[in-house]
Amino acid sequence: MSGDRETILKRVRDSLAGIEDRTPYPEYDESLAVTAIRSLDGDLWERFSERFVAVNGLPITSPEELVEYLKSFEHTTGYIDPDLQTILAPYFGSGFTIEDRFDRDRLDDYRFGITRARGAIAETGSIVVTDRGTSSRLGALAPWVHVACVRRDEIFRDTPAAVAHMEDDPNVIWITGPSKTADVEGIMIEGVHGPGVQICLLLPDDVRKVQPTDA
Amino acid sequence: MKAQPIDVFARDLEEEVRHAVLDGSSSGYDKRLASLTSDFADPDLLRRTAGRIKQHTLENLDTYLPRVEEKLIANGVRVHWATDAEAARRTVLGIMRENGADKIVKSKSMATEEIALTPFLEKEGIESLETDLGEFIVQIDHDHPSHIVKPIIHKNRRGIARSFEREGLGAYDDRPETITARARTFLRKKYLEAQVGLTGANFLVAESGRMVLVTNEGNSRFCLAGTDIHIAVTGIEKIIPRERDLPLFLSLLGRSATGQQLTVYTEFISGPKVEGQPDGPGQMHLILLDNRRTELLASKCRDILRCIRCGACMNVCPVYRQASGHAYRSVYPGPVGAVLSPLLAGNKFPELADLPKASSLCGACKEVCPVDIPIPDLLLRLRDRAKQEGVKSPGTPPMGGWAYMASKPSVWRASLAAGKVMNYVPMNLIPVPALRAWRHSRELPPWRGGAFRKWMKIHAKEKGGES
């Protein structure tokens, strides 16, 4: 309410009137908040994979390996981002049902969802997902297995780098492992609302980079 | 014997609950501490810097609030202002009515607990469903959360399994895996039925208007993937100045709350979904809530507004661990609640004035606070306020005699000498209730009053002789 706006701002001004020396913004080096005990040098996919495993993620380096994994758990129905179909569809045999549109009325039919990630963060083992880069919010969330696809040169070294390059996108998400809870007696259970299995697939270098398309 | 309300709660607490709270709050302590202290080059500088950034922001809210509003509007967010709980509730209802909406899925938010949003909406015929597993269980039990990060810390699996059975979610099965899987099945339908996803916000960046929301369960993400309208309710103190401050705060929040480097779903939201994105809200509202925060800002306790709601202070607090969250009789329990709750209570301050007193001022809360809030100092200021306002303090022994003695050196010396008598008095026969209560579980050591003074005298002489 507009009346409330003026009231609150006036209250704020009045409340602050008595403060003589306002605390200045402390300048600090961004590296302050970066983990110092683990090296982030060398191949960023390697560094990312180590941290991703530490948060119970599963890094996979080839489409063949991914298909084997899905087959072994009988995850044969899934959603694949339309942009990824040309690269990935050939690896999926006739035993799979693949859809390029996520139908929310059949939410539980999809055992896996494969979507394009906008990047990853080596320091924390996080996947970066955006509204423009990821075809369906539900496709990356509702199925038991989420596969985020990323290219090696899209991996950020650390969180300050990921923030500095954060896109002008209304919905950016860092996903650090499977959906989980410890609400019941502090016991960790994965797959509460979202994926119980979080996979990151490394795409070949010649796959084109995600370009934020203007809406 | 008369006692403070929090003491009564602690005394009457069921053993089963006491154990659940004690286990739940103390477990994971080493992990949280290690993740905070061993990962960084200068961990203490980290939290002191975060504290100063928040303090700076609070002391410049007159600049930052209009700035963040401008950015939010530019991003396509509809901004609302709410002076108090009633205004905030009415605003949410107004948005619901305007859009012909009657179902909300909610992700965990302390601000909406504070304004008691759900009971209000239910009276208005709106279904408002909690989706965080713990909050969901609290809701079906018509209970209250007892911890700001672990809302059902006071419950065990048996009680939860009974609740699920009662609600028709399946036959009794108390395995945590089953409980979680049943909630998953039940809630995912609800996300798709609701028109509105309601959330809080952990941070609001002034520079960009991006709000940050963190959950481990991913329920907030589901709220914002299944619904058409997003309503966020956030206190005006949630602002941080720049995007570059995010790594600092996110790192401290995840580690202090659960010992994680980052919370699983860390969402940066700056407006409605992009065109072409099939899922999620095309309309976003943000309600900026005052609800006495400006009163706190004017008070000597304004530092408490730095709080990022990590729950670390209650996990380490010996009083919280023994008394449980419900003993604080308010939305915010533990040390942060002992400061925040009486202040947010307005003219009901006296009803919660016992909370700041329920502390030995051990300082554990200050040591773990990721934004370096001097909680013990703030507790003292509130004790002082209660004294100044003449708030009654049941169960507290009269201190007048002590004050007299301690302010007159001659009387003090005389009583030190006379105190020896105490060694011969049968203490358990003295009819002072407070003394009896204290003696109930303690032994007094033999009186040695004056020994130090004697030693000092001799020591001073010896020292004088040497020089």
Side-chain angles (χ1 to χ4, degrees):
Chain A
M1 280 158 236
S2 57
D4 281 15
R5 179 187 189 274
E6 299 317 315
T7 309
I8 292 172
L9 289 175
K10 181 175 187 312
R11 284 178 185 171
V12 168
R13 283 191 298 271
D14 292 349
S15 298
L16 296 174
I19 304 175
E20 285 181 7
D21 296 310
R22 296 190 183 191
T23 307
Y25 178 85
E27 290 302 336
Y28 63 96
D29 193 308
E30 278 179 349
S31 65
L32 183 66
V34 177
T35 317
I37 50 161
R38 284 179 291 268
S39 164
L40 292 169
D41 298 334
D43 179 33
L44 285 181
W45 169 259
E46 293 300 324
R47 298 291 85 75
F48 164 76
S49 296
E50 289 158 16
R51 295 314 298 158
F52 196 50
V53 167
V55 294
N56 277 359
L58 179 61
I60 290 183
T61 47
S62 74
E64 290 92 341
E65 205 186 323
L66 172 67
V67 171
E68 276 313 304
Y69 175 88
L70 294 173
K71 225 183 246 173
S72 70
F73 286 93
E74 293 176 26
H75 297 316
T76 52
T77 302
Y79 164 81
I80 302 184
D81 180 328
D83 283 352
L84 289 166
Q85 292 264 348
T86 43
I87 317 160
L88 295 178
Y91 293 95
F92 288 82
S94 56
F96 284 91
T97 309
I98 305 292
E99 297 182 26
D100 63 359
R101 196 184 138 261
F102 191 90
D103 182 358
R104 57 187 267 154
D105 296 330
R106 293 169 30 246
L107 198 72
D108 288 324
D109 288 357
Y110 305 90
R111 300 301 299 274
F112 61 88
I114 305 180
T115 65
R116 191 75 167 88
R118 186 63 192 95
I121 308 172
E123 183 201 356
T124 54
S126 311
I127 294 159
V128 180
V129 164
T130 66
D131 240 17
R132 289 197 178 90
T134 304
S135 53
S136 163
R137 291 190 190 186
L138 281 171
L141 180 69
W144 184 254
V145 181
H146 174 225
V147 184
C149 304
V150 69
R151 270 181 14 163
R152 202 181 294 264
D153 62 358
E154 291 168 339
I155 303 171
F156 300 108
R157 181 183 183 274
D158 50 33
T159 49
V163 166
H165 293 94
M166 201 179 281
E167 282 167 30
D168 183 19
D169 189 292
N171 202 286
V172 179
I173 305 202
W174 297 352
I175 305 171
T176 312
S179 148
K180 65 182 184 183
T181 186
D183 275 349
V184 181
E185 294 187 8
I187 296 158
M188 185 67 70
I189 306 288
E190 290 176 336
V192 204
H193 307 272
V197 177
Q198 189 76 61
I199 293 174
C200 187
L201 174 68
L202 180 66
L203 289 172
D205 291 340
D206 51 9
V207 173
R208 74 182 172 90
K209 222 173 166 163
V210 170
Q211 291 298 336
T213 46
D214 286 316
Chain B
M1 181 198 148
K2 277 186 185 165
Q4 305 276 339
I6 186 169
D7 294 330
V8 176
F9 264 84
R11 190 189 65 206
D12 297 344
L13 195 64
E14 281 174 48
E15 273 312 295
E16 205 176 40
V17 176
R18 192 192 306 280
H19 282 291
V21 172
L22 188 58
D23 291 349
S25 50
S26 42
S27 71
Y29 173 73
D30 293 338
K31 185 182 164 201
R32 291 192 296 272
L33 190 68
S35 77
L36 277 164
T37 53
S38 61
D39 282 10
F40 299 109
D42 193 344
D44 203 44
L45 181 63
L46 194 68
R47 66 187 200 108
R48 279 187 282 119
T49 305
R52 291 198 63 194
I53 294 172
K54 281 290 271 192
Q55 193 71 17
H56 160 80
T57 319
L58 293 169
E59 292 175 7
N60 292 280
L61 268 184
D62 49 353
T63 311
Y64 284 121
L65 271 170
R67 187 176 299 172
V68 80
E69 181 197 33
E70 191 188 320
K71 287 288 172 189
L72 286 162
I73 292 171
N75 293 341
V77 180
R78 285 168 64 181
V79 181
H80 310 261
W81 300 72
T83 49
D84 57 17
E86 178 63 15
R89 291 190 295 251
R90 290 276 157 209
T91 305
V92 174
L93 183 65
I95 299 167
M96 298 296 292
R97 295 267 193 264
E98 191 183 301
N99 289 280
D102 63 354
K103 286 191 180 71
I104 292 179
V105 275
K106 248 182 110 266
S107 99
K108 190 167 162 36
S109 140
M110 296 312 297
T112 56
E113 289 284 340
E114 190 186 313
I115 61 170
L117 182 64
T118 297
F120 167 82
L121 290 174
E122 282 172 350
K123 264 185 216 142
E124 297 289 339
I126 286 167
E127 181 184 296
S128 173
L129 187 72
E130 295 286 351
T131 59
D132 172 87
L133 179 61
E135 296 283 347
F136 172 67
I137 292 163
V138 162
Q139 188 174 26
I140 61 176
D141 280 353
H142 306 288
D143 196 356
H144 293 283
S146 66
H147 189 289
I148 63 175
V149 175
K150 312 168 191 171
I152 52 166
I153 193 169
H154 60 292
K155 291 181 189 284
N156 62 36
R157 63 177 80 187
R158 294 179 295 283
I160 299 165
R162 283 194 295 274
S163 303
F164 270 43
E165 189 175 30
R166 187 192 62 225
E167 297 296 317
L169 293 168
Y172 183 92
D173 187 334
D174 63 10
R175 284 172 297 180
E177 301 86 326
T178 312
I179 291 168
T180 309
R182 284 175 174 174
R184 176 184 172 99
T185 307
F186 176 77
L187 288 168
R188 52 180 40 215
K189 291 190 205 97
K190 296 288 182 180
Y191 291 119
L192 301 183
E193 283 169 18
Q195 305 92 351
V196 173
L198 201 138
T199 73
N202 293 88
F203 304 104
L204 195 54
V205 186
E207 181 181 50
S208 61
R210 254 192 251 263
M211 66 164 257
V212 185
L213 193 57
V214 305
T215 70
N216 272 317
E217 296 187 4
N219 56 317
S220 67
R221 175 62 170 164
F222 228 129
C223 290
L224 301 183
T227 62
D228 297 327
I229 301 164
H230 177 196
I231 305 177
V233 182
T234 174
I236 54 171
E237 83 283 17
K238 290 284 166 196
I239 299 176
I240 57 172
R242 308 183 190 179
E243 298 254 298
R244 76 186 287 267
D245 300 325
L246 285 168
L248 191 68
F249 283 99
L250 290 171
S251 191
L252 283 168
L253 179 58
R255 287 162 204 267
S256 301
T258 52
Q260 290 167 274
Q261 206 176 346
L262 276 180
T263 313
V264 177
Y265 285 86
T266 302
E267 306 179 53
F268 306 87
I269 303 158
S270 60
K273 67 176 178 184
V274 293
E275 229 173 278
Q277 172 59 248
D279 315 315
Q283 195 186 117
M284 178 175 170
H285 299 262
L286 190 127
I287 302 171
L288 288 165
L289 176 70
D290 178 353
N291 206 28
R292 299 194 190 282
R293 282 163 175 73
T294 45
E295 275 177 34
L296 265 79
L297 195 58
S299 78
K300 285 179 189 161
C301 293
R302 76 172 64 91
D303 299 18
I304 202 68
L305 290 172
R306 287 185 217 161
C307 176
I308 58 171
R309 311 282 190 263
C310 70
C313 61
M314 53 202 74
N315 287 328
V316 295
C317 178
V319 177
Y320 174 90
R321 286 178 175 186
Q322 290 296 329
S324 111
H326 290 161
Y328 294 79
R329 308 167 334 267
S330 41
V331 173
Y332 302 100
V336 61
V339 179
L340 204 49
S341 299
L343 289 165
L344 290 177
N347 57 12
K348 289 183 178 162
F349 173 82
E351 289 175 26
L352 295 173
D354 60 313
L355 302 183
K357 285 179 222 160
S359 167
S360 62
L361 304 175
C362 73
C365 49
K366 182 183 188 299
E367 274 178 31
V368 296
C369 179
V371 282
D372 199 26
I373 301 173
I375 296 177
D377 293 350
L378 305 184
L379 292 171
L380 283 175
R381 282 172 206 168
L382 287 178
R383 287 183 189 183
D384 181 54
R385 177 177 157 189
K387 183 77 186 164
Q388 301 298 335
E389 293 181 8
V391 178
K392 291 256 186 313
S393 184
T396 308
M399 302 298 278
W402 168 264
Y404 177 76
M405 230 161 65
S407 53
K408 299 265 187 305
S410 57
V411 181
W412 183 258
R413 273 196 298 274
S415 52
L416 279 181
K420 227 177 176 101
V421 177
M422 302 232 321
N423 289 344
Y424 309 102
V425 176
M427 296 296 287
N428 47 354
L429 296 181
I430 296 179
V432 177
L435 192 60
R436 277 200 169 165
W438 192 89
R439 279 266 307 161
H440 179 68
S441 55
R442 298 172 184 86
E443 281 297 328
L444 267 180
W447 180 266
R448 294 175 58 200
F452 177 72
R453 284 170 174 257
K454 240 180 244 167
W455 175 86
M456 255 318 261
K457 239 180 209 170
I458 297 164
H459 183 70
K461 259 185 212 162
E462 280 173 357
K463 239 190 149 181
E466 273 168 26
S467 63

